[in-house]
């Protein structure tokens, strides 16, 4: 797909980045990404994936816009209070980049529908606010051997990780069982800029994978990026793949843009 004059102007700064260029921009245009959760994390994810020119983005969220969302969920605004987040997101994102195809799904991801919803996409972004859904997305993507970005936030801190089944650890390598009794943002709050940082990390990881800049480590360790907003410390820890974890079962059939065609 050759870029037209308007696309060359729109994506000029992308094209100048070493390792992206025209070939990388064409890969972005051919890619399909699903974003589950259109809140604090999903807001920057969607804005950066759409502005980068990812060809098709699935917007998945069953909630409506509430006033308490607006302190961090910058994808929405006051005039859209009470509207479905999928509709609100579509309106803002179409204005940002009308050539990106948006698929809205005002549905709640569950064990019964997760594979059907996520399977058509090349890469998934987990941007939800509860561990149950985070681990459901983890397990579904591991089963489908589908790369995904995941992140969590609370108060002034957060973390993010990019998972490529068979080539990196997954959430269950870090925490085998779903954590219980962990405070939520409705209890401890969250500063709006925190999901802004971590959502941007998720978007960057997805873009790197799509254009072919992502590479696995020979030891299959994965990078867990953490933010401590109280002391303003950014750290990356290397996490090993757990030997008995399901994500390692696909090691010989690893998923990655360098191995397959975006469909």
């Amino acid at each position: 797909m050759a870029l037209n004059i308007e696309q060359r102007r729109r994506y000029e700064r992308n094209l100048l980045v070493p390792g992206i260029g025209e070939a990388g921009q064409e890969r972005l245009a051919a890619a399909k990404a699903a974003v589950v959760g259109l809140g604090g994390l999903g807001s920057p994810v969607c804005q950066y994936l759409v502005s980068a020119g990812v060809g098709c983005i699935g917007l998945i969220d069953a909630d409506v816009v509430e006033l308490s969302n607006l302190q961090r969920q910058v994808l929405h605004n006051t005039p859209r209070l009470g509207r479905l987040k999928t509709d609100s997101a579509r309106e803002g994102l179409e204005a940002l980049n009308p050539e990106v195809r948006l698929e809205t799904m005002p549905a709640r991801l569950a064990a019964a529908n997760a594979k059907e919803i996520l399977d058509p996409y090349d890469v998934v972004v987990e941007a939800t606010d509860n561990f149950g859904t985070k681990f459901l997305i983890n397990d579904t993507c591991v089963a489908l051997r589908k790369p995904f970005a995941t992140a969590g936030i609370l108060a002034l801190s957060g973390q993010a990780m990019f998972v490529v089944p068979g080539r990196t650890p997954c959430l269950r390598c870090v925490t085998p069982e779903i954590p219980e009794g962990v405070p939520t943002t409705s209890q401890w709050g969250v500063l709006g800029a925190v999901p802004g940082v971590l959502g941007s990390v998720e978007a960057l990881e997805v873009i790197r994978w799509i254009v072919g800049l992502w590479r696995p480590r020979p030891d299959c360790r994965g990078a867990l990026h953490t933010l401590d907003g109280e002391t303003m410390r950014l750290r990356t820890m290397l996490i090993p793949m757990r030997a008995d974890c399901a994500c390692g079962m696909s090691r010989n059939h690893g998923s990655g843009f360098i191995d397959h065609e975006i469909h």
Side-chain angles (χ1 to χ4, degrees):
M1 181 201 77
L3 301 178
N4 60 38
I5 294 175
E6 182 177 338
Q7 289 171 326
R8 288 179 181 279
R9 187 175 298 120
R10 178 184 289 271
Y11 304 120
E12 178 184 13
R13 297 304 192 274
N14 285 2
L15 301 176
L16 293 172
V17 175
I20 297 184
E22 205 162 314
Q25 193 61 49
E26 290 173 359
R27 286 186 167 192
L28 286 166
K32 298 182 66 176
V35 181
V36 186
L38 304 176
L41 290 164
S43 288
V45 168
C46 289
Q47 289 167 327
Y48 282 117
L49 294 186
V50 166
S51 62
V54 174
C56 175
I57 298 177
L59 305 174
I60 305 162
D61 197 312
D63 293 336
V64 299
V65 180
E66 299 179 358
L67 186 59
S68 62
N69 299 152
L70 302 184
Q71 154 266 7
R72 65 199 178 281
Q73 300 183 17
V74 295
L75 192 54
H76 313 291
N77 58 36
T78 303
R80 298 184 203 146
L81 289 174
R83 293 180 58 186
L84 285 168
K85 287 185 179 179
T86 48
D87 292 343
S88 171
R90 174 189 284 278
E91 183 175 322
L93 296 172
E94 283 180 340
L96 179 60
N97 190 348
E99 69 177 33
V100 171
R101 188 167 86 255
L102 301 172
E103 299 177 342
T104 57
M105 285 166 270
R108 201 167 300 281
L109 210 67
N113 64 15
K115 284 188 177 181
E116 180 182 0
I117 289 175
L118 299 182
D119 189 48
Y121 295 93
D122 303 303
V123 61
V124 174
V125 180
E126 181 280 305
T128 68
D129 61 0
N130 69 88
F131 282 112
T133 307
K134 291 178 186 295
F135 276 74
L136 171 64
I137 292 171
N138 178 91
D139 296 346
T140 302
C141 287
V142 166
L144 295 172
R145 298 204 300 271
K146 193 174 297 292
F148 69 100
T150 181
I153 53 171
L154 183 64
L156 289 166
S157 66
Q159 59 283 321
M161 184 168 68
F162 187 65
V163 177
V164 180
R167 297 195 171 187
T168 71
C170 71
L171 275 182
R172 290 195 184 272
C173 292
V174 180
T175 307
E177 301 298 329
I178 299 176
E180 296 183 2
V182 179
T184 65
T185 59
S186 62
Q187 295 171 311
W188 283 15
V190 60
L191 190 65
V194 172
V197 173
L198 276 303
S200 297
V201 170
E202 289 189 281
L204 179 56
E205 291 279 39
V206 167
I207 291 169
R208 289 177 65 242
W209 181 79
I210 291 173
V211 301
L213 291 177
W214 184 87
R215 291 292 184 274
R217 292 177 56 88
D219 58 7
C220 288
R221 288 192 294 174
L224 178 66
H225 308 292
T226 65
L227 165 67
D228 181 344
E230 187 171 354
T231 60
M232 206 53 229
R233 294 186 66 186
L234 300 165
R235 303 175 62 186
T236 298
M237 297 180 287
L238 293 178
I239 307 297
M241 185 183 292
R242 193 163 53 86
D244 60 344
C245 186
C247 68
M249 294 174 63
S250 58
R251 186 173 302 183
N252 295 327
H253 309 280
S255 175
F257 197 98
I258 57 176
D259 291 331
H260 72 277
E261 294 296 327
I262 290 295
H263 53 332

